[in-house]
Amino acid sequence: MIKYQTLPDMLDDRARGTGAIVYLEGEGAEKTLKLADLRRRALGILFHLQRIGARPGDHLILHVASNEQCIDAYWACLYGGIVPVPVAVGISDEHKHKLLRIAKQLGQPFLYTDKKLRDRLAAFAAASIGDSESWGKLESRIFLIDSLDDIARAGTPAALGPDQTAFIQFSSGSTSEPKGVVLTHRNILANAEGARQAAGFCEDDVSLSWMPLTHDMGLIGFHLMMMYAGVRQHLMPTDLFVRRALLWLKWSSEKRVTLTCSPNFGYRHCLRALGDRTLDNHDLSSMRLVFNGAEPISVELAEEFLDRLAPYGLRRTAMYPVYGLAEASLAVAFPPIDTLHRYLTVDRRSLGVGTAARQVAAADPTALKLMCEGKPIPYVQVQLVDDLGATVPDGTVGHLLMRGDNVTRGYFQNEEANAAAITADGWLRTGDLALMLDGDLYVTGRSKEIIFVNGQNYYPHDLEALLQVEPGLELGKVAAAGARTPDSPTDELVLFVLHRGDMTDFIPLATKAIHLVNEHAGVEVARVVPVKRMPKTTSGKLQRNALAQAFEDGEFAAELAEFDRAWAAEHGHGRAAKGRVEAQLKAIVDDAMPGKHVDIDDNLFDVGASSLTLIQIHEKIDEAFPGVMDLTELFDYPTISVLAKHLETKLEG
């Protein structure tokens, strides 16, 4: 039985007890906030929001870097019937484009942010003709956190019902229009109760999450669901995890954490940070469930993580692969607790819609491991259908559909998307492909062409559109797809570029493509592949999945070998570092980008420095030269040589 009618009902009840949120900001820097104080602060902030004119039903974009500030404002909105719209703070243009496009869709939203972020948005909008109009409308409706000096007076809570909108989560989207998933109080609370029953959440549990609060696993899974079940929750900034991944393990041990989570990216990042070192005084035996989701799950990576941390008491039954998505208010399928993870090994060629998946031996060259993600949790149903909408039999791949109290009733003011996503009898098309075997769900792929990299979703047409400013990279001549390189257990971004000339002429084009995607979207390009033709449907639509499959099948091996030789010839003759600062920066970059062979005068964006890599580089620079450089300066001085000169000037000053 669902305990509450609305989310404020839930906080009202939990605030009467001893519940709290612990914000972990760094070693020796933590803050415990009682839920009673969270409620008081939220109502205090609501007073200010109502004073600037925010009313029930209005939208407020949450654009803050602090977990604590985000949670405070989120609950202020909920109490006032104001619809919060969390939008990530990032360092790339894509994030700023997304926020302004969301603001345009919402019409007349308010913006909750701080002065520094406001100024960055203003500067970006001034330089972007397409976004200046959206910013002009938004600029007069900003509430700056910097001016929040008194929360002693409480705002007036709104009268709420379970079917009112609780918040909107927007999908990725920069050059296209992002889609807003509208979730009601009933949706979220039904999902929280279903998850509680399936995973056995209780007041004895202790949670820790580094996932961003703009992500459904971070906000719903490890804040709202934890509060619903009375779990003592700890929140760690995402950028702190990126910079110091091993703090995740340290705090899991110290706080006796029983529940945590990560997508593939987090496990890979943590293992890389761990390397061959030994952790002193770490005990992970308290860990009950390590949720693994948010992107296609790598069996190999999950097992490597378990193997590496077994000496510290992490049990193999703790690995908890799950399936969910924002449209479901997060959770759809969970496996039984206290069981070993399971998977199927299938022929990757037998995963077409309506095809019975053929199981093969692990050594088979066509073998692909599919992780079992359990059974549907309470309050949600799933079914698999073929292209004509007919239910497929057990073991056969189909389109994954779902419905239930936790499932969104549609996207924000988007009739076209709603018509495409929701069937006449109320089932929502997830866009994923899967098979069911003995009642268990195995997600096999994506019918939509979303690319999952480092726990983030990217739309191919968005990335391709970023490249069209460069001759030779116009739309129709380049395709972006998620594919697995031979040395990667997870999907990576691969660009396919139409090119029929000499390979030496292709290298500058590939370099430019890497640079543009890195600079504007903040995602690393794993490979740029020259292709002699772009496969298209009869209607002219790019067949990206066909290119990705051909890449994984090794059909471009000869072209890639020739590319590697030409790339090495072009980038392999850099000069040696001169001076102490340049040498230190070279060592920092080499450590952050193993195998990239970055020369002193190479542009970091040209050689594949993602947003995450830049954060790691900046962290090491800050350790060597404390407080001297801001992260954004890496965009202005993107080579080791010019960055060294800039840094030397600042040090002299």
Side-chain angles (χ1 to χ4, degrees):
M1 177 179 176
I2 302 172
K3 297 178 183 179
Y4 309 105
Q5 292 291 303
T6 68
L7 290 168
D9 290 344
M10 177 176 75
L11 180 51
D12 287 346
D13 180 51
R14 289 297 179 189
R16 298 185 187 102
T18 59
I21 303 171
V22 181
Y23 295 103
L24 301 171
E25 299 298 330
E27 287 191 280
E30 68 177 64
K31 179 178 181 179
T32 300
L33 181 69
K34 293 180 180 179
L35 296 185
D37 290 331
L38 171 60
R39 181 182 184 278
R40 177 183 57 80
R41 285 163 55 159
L43 290 171
I45 293 171
L46 175 60
F47 173 83
H48 291 278
L49 296 180
Q50 290 173 334
R51 194 168 65 171
I52 66 169
R55 297 291 180 262
D58 286 344
H59 300 98
L60 183 144
I61 297 173
L62 281 175
H63 189 63
V64 295
S66 159
N67 283 339
E68 185 178 0
Q69 291 174 346
C70 182
I71 293 290
D72 285 350
Y74 177 80
W75 282 101
C77 289
L78 292 181
Y79 272 105
I82 303 162
V83 180
V85 182
V87 178
V89 173
I91 61 174
S92 71
D93 290 351
E94 192 273 341
H95 294 91
K96 302 180 188 72
H97 276 300
K98 179 179 177 180
L99 185 146
L100 293 172
R101 279 161 173 75
I102 289 171
K104 183 178 180 181
Q105 275 196 51
L106 294 173
Q108 291 290 322
F110 292 90
L111 174 64
Y112 189 89
T113 189
D114 61 38
K115 185 178 184 301
K116 185 176 181 180
L117 292 173
R118 189 274 311 271
D119 291 347
R120 287 182 180 177
L121 283 170
F124 174 78
S128 176
I129 297 174
D131 292 315
S132 57
E133 182 179 350
S134 297
W135 176 251
K137 293 180 179 178
L138 187 61
E139 196 170 14
S140 63
R141 296 168 66 84
I142 296 175
F143 183 84
L144 292 177
I145 306 168
D146 312 66
S147 64
L148 192 62
D149 56 357
D150 175 22
I151 56 172
R153 290 169 290 182
T156 304
L160 302 173
D163 293 315
Q164 287 180 253
T165 300
F167 78 101
I168 302 174
Q169 179 171 326
F170 274 86
S171 64
S172 301
S174 55
T175 56
S176 65
E177 294 299 316
K179 291 192 299 183
V181 179
V182 179
L183 298 175
T184 66
H185 294 267
R186 187 191 305 276
N187 291 152
I188 296 165
L189 291 166
N191 203 225
E193 174 60 23
R196 185 197 66 79
Q197 292 183 32
F201 299 147
C202 67
E203 294 185 9
D204 292 333
D205 277 319
V206 179
S207 69
L208 170 61
S209 171
W210 55 262
M211 293 290 284
L213 293 172
T214 51
H215 190 286
D216 47 10
M217 186 182 281
L219 179 59
I220 301 176
F222 276 76
H223 175 55
L224 298 178
M225 285 184 176
M226 298 299 101
M227 184 183 293
Y228 182 92
V231 175
R232 184 174 178 85
Q233 51 186 296
H234 298 76
L235 298 178
M236 172 183 179
T238 303
D239 66 333
L240 180 58
F241 170 77
V242 170
R243 291 183 280 115
R244 300 191 61 190
L246 297 185
L247 283 177
W248 180 37
L249 303 181
K250 182 177 187 290
W251 284 329
S252 292
S253 173
E254 290 180 354
K255 307 298 181 183
R256 307 308 295 152
V257 168
T258 63
L259 307 169
T260 192
C261 61
S262 179
N264 288 332
F265 152 70
Y267 298 114
R268 183 171 62 244
H269 184 57
C270 185
L271 287 171
R272 182 183 169 198
L274 181 56
D276 296 328
R277 75 182 69 185
T278 300
L279 299 175
D280 296 327
N281 303 316
H282 279 54
D283 179 5
L284 302 177
S285 61
S286 64
M287 196 68 72
R288 189 168 71 82
L289 298 174
V290 181
F291 281 76
N292 189 340
E295 59 181 320
I297 298 171
S298 167
V299 174
E300 296 85 353
L301 190 56
E303 293 185 336
E304 182 183 356
F305 186 79
L306 289 172
D307 291 342
R308 185 66 181 86
L309 295 179
Y312 306 101
L314 183 63
R315 291 170 289 175
R316 300 195 76 80
T317 56
M319 184 56 63
Y320 201 61
V322 298
Y323 173 70
L325 63 164
E327 286 85 346
S329 306
L330 181 59
V332 175
F334 285 2
I337 59 176
D338 296 323
T339 58
L340 294 172
H341 67 276
R342 295 180 292 118
Y343 59 88
L344 293 177
T345 306
V346 299
D347 183 342
R348 66 175 67 247
R349 300 169 303 181
S350 67
L351 298 178
V353 175
T355 303
R358 186 174 70 88
Q359 296 191 46
V360 297
D364 191 294
T366 69
L368 174 67
K369 293 179 180 178
L370 300 176
M371 185 72 89
C372 175
E373 292 165 315
K375 293 177 169 57
I377 69 172
Y379 299 97
V380 63
Q381 299 171 276
V382 303
Q383 71 166 332
L384 300 177
V385 300
D386 62 20
D387 289 334
L388 299 178
T391 303
V392 300
D394 217 33
T396 299
V397 176
H399 297 279
L400 178 56
L401 279 59
M402 64 179 181
R403 69 180 179 188
D405 288 343
N406 64 311
V407 178
T408 182
R409 298 298 180 262
Y411 300 98
F412 179 75
Q413 295 184 0
N414 197 328
E415 293 182 7
E416 182 180 351
N418 290 337
I422 303 172
T423 68
D425 52 351
W427 290 89
L428 186 136
R429 300 180 177 95
T430 66
D432 289 315
L433 303 175
L435 62 88
M436 296 284 286
L437 196 62
D438 299 325
D440 288 321
L441 182 71
Y442 298 81
V443 176
T444 61
R446 304 175 294 278
S447 55
K448 298 176 182 178
E449 293 180 324
I450 297 174
I451 301 168
F452 295 85
V453 180
N454 287 343
Q456 299 293 317
N457 301 345
Y458 298 89
Y459 284 92
H461 54 272
D462 278 354
L463 300 177
E464 292 158 7
L466 294 174
L467 302 174
Q468 62 182 320
V469 297
E470 181 70 14
L473 297 174
E474 299 91 348
L475 293 181
K477 293 184 178 181
V478 60
R484 296 194 179 188
T485 58
D487 57 350
S488 173
T490 59
D491 282 4
E492 295 185 293
L493 174 59
V494 178
L495 298 178
F496 300 89
V497 178
L498 187 66
H499 183 76
R500 299 188 180 96
D502 189 82
M503 190 61 72
T504 55
D505 297 329
F506 183 72
I507 295 301
L509 194 62
T511 301
K512 190 64 178 179
I514 293 170
H515 178 104
L516 288 170
V517 171
N518 271 274
E519 184 175 34
H520 296 293
V523 58
E524 182 175 348
V525 178
R527 274 293 199 178
V528 183
V529 184
V531 296
K532 291 183 171 56
R533 71 176 189 88
M534 284 287 177
K536 298 180 180 179
T537 64
T538 53
S539 62
K541 183 179 179 182
L542 277 173
Q543 293 183 306
R544 300 180 182 89
N545 289 340
L547 286 166
Q549 189 62 59
F551 173 83
E552 293 184 351
D553 291 343
E555 293 183 18
F556 301 114
E559 290 87 347
L560 290 172
E562 186 181 356
F563 175 93
D564 288 344
R565 289 192 293 271
W567 180 274
E570 179 74 17
H571 293 268
H573 302 291
R575 65 175 176 81
K578 296 179 181 177
R580 179 181 65 89
V581 173
E582 200 169 78
Q584 281 183 272
L585 292 180
K586 179 69 165 67
I588 288 170
V589 171
D590 286 345
D591 183 64
M593 304 180 68
K596 290 292 186 180
H597 307 296
V598 183
D599 290 328
I600 299 298
D601 298 307
D602 280 344
N603 188 304
L604 294 177
F605 296 107
D606 292 347
V607 292
S610 67
S611 298
L612 296 171
T613 304
L614 293 177
I615 291 172
Q616 293 167 14
I617 291 172
H618 177 258
E619 172 68 6
K620 294 299 183 183
I621 293 174
D622 197 55
E623 287 179 9
F625 308 99
V628 177
M629 266 189 53
D630 187 81
L631 174 61
T632 56
E633 291 176 85
L634 288 173
F635 288 80
D636 299 323
Y637 306 95
T639 73
I640 293 172
S641 58
V642 299
L643 184 61
K645 290 178 183 177
H646 173 66
L647 187 53
E648 286 169 347
T649 300
K650 296 190 78 171
L651 290 171
E652 290 170 1

Coordinates of all heavy atoms in Angstrom, one line a residue, residues 454-497:
N454 N 29.5 7.0 -20.7 CA 29.9 7.6 -19.4 C 28.6 7.9 -18.6 O 28.6 8.9 -17.9 CB 30.8 8.8 -19.5 CG 32.2 8.4 -19.9 OD1 32.6 7.3 -19.8 ND2 32.9 9.4 -20.4
G455 N 27.6 7.1 -18.7 CA 26.4 7.3 -17.9 C 25.5 8.4 -18.5 O 24.5 8.8 -17.8
Q456 N 25.8 9.0 -19.6 CA 25.0 10.0 -20.2 C 24.4 9.6 -21.5 O 24.9 8.7 -22.2 CB 25.8 11.3 -20.4 CG 26.4 11.8 -19.1 CD 25.4 12.4 -18.2 OE1 24.4 13.1 -18.6 NE2 25.5 12.1 -16.9
N457 N 23.3 10.2 -21.9 CA 22.6 9.9 -23.1 C 22.9 11.0 -24.2 O 22.9 12.2 -23.8 CB 21.1 9.8 -23.0 CG 20.7 8.8 -22.0 OD1 21.4 7.9 -21.6 ND2 19.4 8.9 -21.5
Y458 N 23.2 10.6 -25.4 CA 23.5 11.6 -26.5 C 22.6 11.1 -27.7 O 22.5 9.9 -28.0 CB 24.9 11.6 -26.8 CG 25.8 12.0 -25.7 CD1 26.4 11.1 -24.8 CD2 26.1 13.4 -25.5 CE1 27.2 11.5 -23.7 CE2 26.9 13.8 -24.4 CZ 27.4 12.9 -23.6 OH 28.2 13.3 -22.5
Y459 N 22.1 12.1 -28.3 CA 21.3 11.8 -29.6 C 22.2 12.0 -30.8 O 22.9 13.0 -30.9 CB 20.1 12.8 -29.7 CG 19.0 12.4 -28.8 CD1 18.9 13.0 -27.5 CD2 18.0 11.5 -29.2 CE1 17.9 12.6 -26.7 CE2 17.0 11.1 -28.3 CZ 16.9 11.7 -27.1 OH 15.9 11.3 -26.2
P460 N 22.3 11.0 -31.7 CA 23.2 11.1 -32.8 C 23.0 12.3 -33.6 O 24.0 12.9 -34.0 CB 22.9 9.8 -33.6 CG 22.3 8.9 -32.6 CD 21.5 9.7 -31.6
H461 N 21.8 12.7 -33.9 CA 21.6 13.9 -34.8 C 22.1 15.1 -34.1 O 22.5 16.1 -34.8 CB 20.1 14.0 -35.2 CG 19.1 14.0 -34.0 ND1 18.6 12.9 -33.5 CD2 18.6 15.0 -33.3 CE1 17.8 13.2 -32.5 NE2 17.8 14.5 -32.3
D462 N 22.1 15.2 -32.8 CA 22.6 16.4 -32.1 C 24.1 16.5 -32.3 O 24.7 17.5 -32.7 CB 22.4 16.3 -30.6 CG 21.0 16.7 -30.1 OD1 20.3 17.2 -31.0 OD2 20.7 16.6 -28.9
L463 N 24.8 15.3 -32.2 CA 26.3 15.3 -32.3 C 26.6 15.6 -33.8 O 27.6 16.3 -34.1 CB 26.8 14.0 -31.9 CG 26.6 13.6 -30.4 CD1 27.2 12.3 -30.1 CD2 27.2 14.7 -29.5
E464 N 25.9 15.0 -34.7 CA 26.1 15.2 -36.1 C 25.9 16.7 -36.5 O 26.7 17.2 -37.3 CB 25.2 14.3 -37.0 CG 25.6 12.8 -36.8 CD 24.4 11.9 -37.2 OE1 23.4 12.4 -37.6 OE2 24.5 10.7 -36.9
A465 N 24.9 17.3 -35.9 CA 24.6 18.7 -36.2 C 25.8 19.6 -35.8 O 26.0 20.7 -36.4 CB 23.3 19.1 -35.6
L466 N 26.5 19.3 -34.7 CA 27.6 20.1 -34.3 C 28.7 20.1 -35.3 O 29.5 21.0 -35.3 CB 28.2 19.5 -33.0 CG 27.3 19.5 -31.7 CD1 27.9 18.8 -30.6 CD2 27.0 21.0 -31.3
L467 N 28.8 19.1 -36.2 CA 29.9 19.0 -37.1 C 29.6 19.7 -38.4 O 30.6 19.9 -39.2 CB 30.2 17.5 -37.4 CG 30.5 16.7 -36.1 CD1 30.6 15.2 -36.5 CD2 31.8 17.1 -35.5
Q468 N 28.4 20.0 -38.7 CA 28.1 20.5 -40.1 C 28.7 21.8 -40.4 O 28.6 22.3 -41.6 CB 26.6 20.5 -40.3 CG 25.8 21.5 -39.3 CD 24.3 21.5 -39.6 OE1 23.9 21.4 -40.7 NE2 23.6 21.6 -38.5
V469 N 29.3 22.5 -39.5 CA 29.9 23.8 -39.8 C 31.2 23.6 -40.5 O 31.7 24.5 -41.2 CB 30.2 24.6 -38.5 CG1 28.9 25.0 -37.7 CG2 31.1 23.8 -37.5
E470 N 31.7 22.4 -40.5 CA 33.0 22.1 -41.2 C 32.8 21.4 -42.5 O 32.1 20.4 -42.6 CB 33.8 21.1 -40.3 CG 35.2 20.8 -40.8 CD 36.2 21.9 -40.8 OE1 35.9 23.0 -40.2 OE2 37.2 21.8 -41.5
P471 N 33.4 22.0 -43.6 CA 33.2 21.3 -44.9 C 33.7 19.9 -44.9 O 34.8 19.6 -44.3 CB 34.1 22.2 -45.8 CG 34.2 23.5 -45.2 CD 34.1 23.2 -43.7
G472 N 32.9 19.0 -45.4 CA 33.3 17.6 -45.4 C 32.6 16.8 -44.3 O 32.6 15.6 -44.2
L473 N 32.0 17.6 -43.3 CA 31.3 17.0 -42.2 C 29.8 17.4 -42.2 O 29.1 17.4 -41.2 CB 31.9 17.4 -40.9 CG 33.4 16.9 -40.7 CD1 33.9 17.5 -39.4 CD2 33.4 15.4 -40.6
E474 N 29.3 17.8 -43.4 CA 27.9 18.2 -43.4 C 26.9 17.0 -43.1 O 27.3 15.9 -43.2 CB 27.5 18.8 -44.8 CG 28.4 20.0 -45.2 CD 29.7 19.6 -45.9 OE1 30.0 18.5 -45.9 OE2 30.3 20.6 -46.5
L475 N 25.7 17.4 -42.8 CA 24.7 16.3 -42.5 C 24.6 15.4 -43.7 O 24.5 15.8 -44.8 CB 23.3 17.0 -42.2 CG 23.3 17.8 -40.9 CD1 21.9 18.4 -40.7 CD2 23.7 17.0 -39.7
G476 N 24.5 14.1 -43.4 CA 24.4 13.1 -44.5 C 25.8 12.5 -44.8 O 25.9 11.5 -45.4
K477 N 26.9 13.3 -44.4 CA 28.2 12.8 -44.6 C 28.9 12.2 -43.4 O 30.0 11.7 -43.4 CB 29.1 13.9 -45.2 CG 28.7 14.3 -46.6 CD 29.7 15.4 -47.1 CE 29.3 15.8 -48.5 NZ 30.3 16.8 -49.1
V478 N 28.2 12.3 -42.2 CA 28.7 11.8 -41.0 C 27.6 11.2 -40.2 O 26.5 11.6 -40.2 CB 29.4 13.0 -40.2 CG1 28.4 14.1 -39.8 CG2 30.1 12.5 -38.9
A479 N 28.0 10.1 -39.5 CA 27.0 9.4 -38.6 C 27.6 9.1 -37.3 O 28.8 8.7 -37.2 CB 26.5 8.1 -39.3
A480 N 26.9 9.4 -36.2 CA 27.4 9.1 -34.8 C 26.6 7.9 -34.3 O 25.4 7.8 -34.5 CB 27.1 10.3 -33.9
A481 N 27.4 7.0 -33.7 CA 26.7 5.8 -33.1 C 27.5 5.3 -31.9 O 28.7 5.6 -31.7 CB 26.7 4.7 -34.2
G482 N 26.8 4.6 -31.1 CA 27.4 3.9 -29.9 C 27.8 2.5 -30.3 O 27.0 1.7 -30.9
A483 N 29.1 2.2 -30.1 CA 29.6 0.8 -30.5 C 30.7 0.5 -29.5 O 31.3 1.3 -28.9 CB 30.1 0.8 -31.9
R484 N 31.0 -0.8 -29.5 CA 32.1 -1.3 -28.6 C 33.4 -1.5 -29.4 O 33.4 -2.3 -30.3 CB 31.7 -2.5 -27.9 CG 30.5 -2.3 -27.0 CD 30.2 -3.5 -26.0 NE 29.1 -3.2 -25.1 CZ 28.7 -3.9 -24.1 NH1 29.4 -5.0 -23.8 NH2 27.7 -3.6 -23.4
T485 N 34.4 -0.8 -29.0 CA 35.7 -1.0 -29.6 C 36.3 -2.3 -29.0 O 35.8 -2.8 -27.9 CB 36.7 0.2 -29.2 OG1 36.8 0.3 -27.8 CG2 36.1 1.5 -29.8
P486 N 37.2 -3.0 -29.7 CA 37.7 -4.3 -29.2 C 38.2 -4.3 -27.8 O 38.2 -5.3 -27.1 CB 38.8 -4.6 -30.2 CG 38.5 -3.8 -31.4 CD 37.8 -2.6 -31.0
D487 N 38.8 -3.1 -27.3 CA 39.3 -3.1 -25.9 C 38.4 -2.4 -24.9 O 38.9 -2.1 -23.8 CB 40.7 -2.4 -26.0 CG 40.6 -0.9 -26.5 OD1 39.5 -0.6 -27.1 OD2 41.5 -0.2 -26.4
S488 N 37.1 -2.3 -25.2 CA 36.2 -1.6 -24.3 C 35.0 -2.6 -24.0 O 34.4 -3.1 -24.9 CB 35.7 -0.3 -24.9 OG 34.6 0.2 -24.0
P489 N 34.7 -2.7 -22.7 CA 33.5 -3.6 -22.3 C 32.2 -2.8 -22.4 O 31.2 -3.4 -22.2 CB 33.8 -3.9 -20.9 CG 34.6 -2.7 -20.3 CD 35.4 -2.2 -21.5
T490 N 32.2 -1.5 -22.7 CA 31.0 -0.7 -22.8 C 31.0 0.1 -24.1 O 32.0 0.2 -24.8 CB 30.9 0.2 -21.6 OG1 32.1 1.1 -21.6 CG2 30.9 -0.5 -20.3
D491 N 29.8 0.6 -24.4 CA 29.7 1.4 -25.6 C 30.5 2.7 -25.6 O 30.7 3.3 -24.5 CB 28.2 1.8 -25.9 CG 27.4 0.6 -26.4 OD1 27.9 -0.5 -26.6 OD2 26.2 0.9 -26.7
E492 N 31.1 3.1 -26.7 CA 31.8 4.3 -26.9 C 31.3 5.0 -28.1 O 30.7 4.4 -29.0 CB 33.3 4.1 -26.9 CG 33.9 3.5 -25.7 CD 35.4 3.3 -25.7 OE1 35.9 2.5 -26.5 OE2 36.0 4.0 -24.9
L493 N 31.6 6.3 -28.2 CA 31.1 7.1 -29.3 C 32.1 6.9 -30.5 O 33.3 7.1 -30.4 CB 31.1 8.6 -29.0 CG 30.8 9.5 -30.1 CD1 29.4 9.2 -30.8 CD2 30.8 11.0 -29.6
V494 N 31.5 6.5 -31.6 CA 32.2 6.3 -32.9 C 31.6 7.1 -34.0 O 30.4 7.2 -34.1 CB 32.2 4.8 -33.3 CG1 32.9 4.6 -34.7 CG2 32.8 3.9 -32.3
L495 N 32.4 7.9 -34.7 CA 31.9 8.7 -35.8 C 32.3 8.1 -37.1 O 33.5 7.6 -37.3 CB 32.6 10.1 -35.7 CG 32.3 11.0 -34.5 CD1 33.0 12.3 -34.6 CD2 30.8 11.2 -34.3
F496 N 31.4 8.0 -38.0 CA 31.6 7.4 -39.3 C 31.5 8.6 -40.3 O 30.5 9.3 -40.4 CB 30.6 6.4 -39.7 CG 30.6 5.2 -38.7 CD1 29.8 5.2 -37.6 CD2 31.4 4.1 -39.0 CE1 29.8 4.1 -36.7 CE2 31.4 3.0 -38.1 CZ 30.6 3.0 -37.0
V497 N 32.6 8.8 -41.1 CA 32.6 10.0 -42.0 C 32.8 9.5 -43.4 O 33.7 8.7 -43.7 CB 33.8 10.9 -41.6 CG1 33.9 12.1 -42.5 CG2 33.6 11.4 -40.2

